[in-house]
Amino acid sequence: IKYKIEHLSLKSFLQDRVKYFELIAQTQNRSLYLEVANDLIIDISRIELERLIDNNISNAIKYSEIDTTIKISLEGNILKVNSKGDKIKDKDASFKRYIRENQSLGGHGIGLSIVKDICDNYDIQIEVNSSENGTTFTYIFPDNLINKKSSL
């Protein structure tokens, strides 16, 4: 499927998605914290960007410990989603279709597979750091996605 590419403000997009997920997080006894150092205008499909961000936020809510804060941050061309939960044992496997480390929690194991496909399509670099202290999914947006005329 070919989606329409748009000039999107990542700052505004993140603010909208965090606002959307705030009530869901609260009902799960978690909170969301958004920290944006700058705006970044990127050329990407709205649908695919929403899938990338929504999957990360919903996974962070699902897999984080109760009474913790999920931090979403944008600095430069780097987007990070950080949460406190169980350490991811096999980071590579988590992006494979139908793979779930924790079978007791819902889901079908396809969300991160879709995220990886989107990132591969747009050359967005993914880094996952996970330890007993928490997990951070990092997305580095390449220069070819950044709309230099519009970015502040």
Side-chain angles (χ1 to χ4, degrees), residues 8-16 34 36 38-41 74:
L8 299 174
S9 161
L10 196 49
K11 176 182 179 180
S12 295
F13 209 89
L14 287 168
Q15 289 170 333
D16 288 345
L34 177 62
V36 178
N38 56 278
D39 197 359
L40 188 68
I41 308 300
L74 174 64

Side-chain angles (χ1 to χ4, degrees), residues 89-146:
K89 295 172 194 77
D90 188 346
K91 293 180 244 177
D92 292 331
S94 62
F95 289 99
K96 292 180 181 164
R97 198 170 289 266
Y98 308 121
I99 300 292
R100 290 183 297 146
E101 282 198 7
N102 187 334
Q103 299 297 324
S104 66
L105 295 170
H108 301 287
I110 59 173
L112 283 177
S113 172
I114 292 168
V115 166
K116 180 157 183 1
D117 289 345
I118 292 167
C119 289
D120 288 349
N121 185 43
Y122 288 100
D123 297 322
I124 300 168
Q125 184 182 340
I126 305 171
E127 295 175 2
V128 181
N129 293 306
S130 188
S131 70
E132 289 75 25
N133 297 323
T135 298
T136 302
F137 282 80
T138 301
Y139 297 90
I140 303 168
F141 292 88
D143 285 344
N144 65 324
L145 283 189
I146 300 168

Side-chain angles (χ1 to χ4, degrees), residues 17-63:
R17 300 322 295 159
V18 167
K19 187 173 185 179
Y20 173 82
F21 279 100
E22 275 178 339
L23 184 59
I24 296 166
Q26 288 172 3
T27 61
Q28 303 281 326
N29 294 313
R30 281 109 171 142
S31 60
L32 300 177
Y33 174 72
L34 177 62
E35 182 176 83
V36 178
N38 56 278
D39 197 359
L40 188 68
I41 308 300
I42 55 175
D43 295 335
I44 193 170
S45 155
R46 178 179 299 276
I47 291 167
E48 290 172 302
L49 182 60
E50 187 172 289
R51 286 181 180 153
L52 188 155
I53 291 170
D54 286 9
N55 186 273
N56 275 270
I57 295 174
S58 65
N59 278 352
I61 293 168
K62 186 188 308 183
Y63 294 110

Side-chain angles (χ1 to χ4, degrees), residues 71-90:
K71 182 179 176 186
I72 301 127
S73 62
L74 174 64
E75 185 171 348
N77 65 327
I78 300 172
L79 170 65
K80 292 184 180 186
V81 179
N82 176 269
S83 60
K84 175 97 173 94
D86 290 342
K87 178 181 177 182
I88 297 173
K89 295 172 194 77
D90 188 346

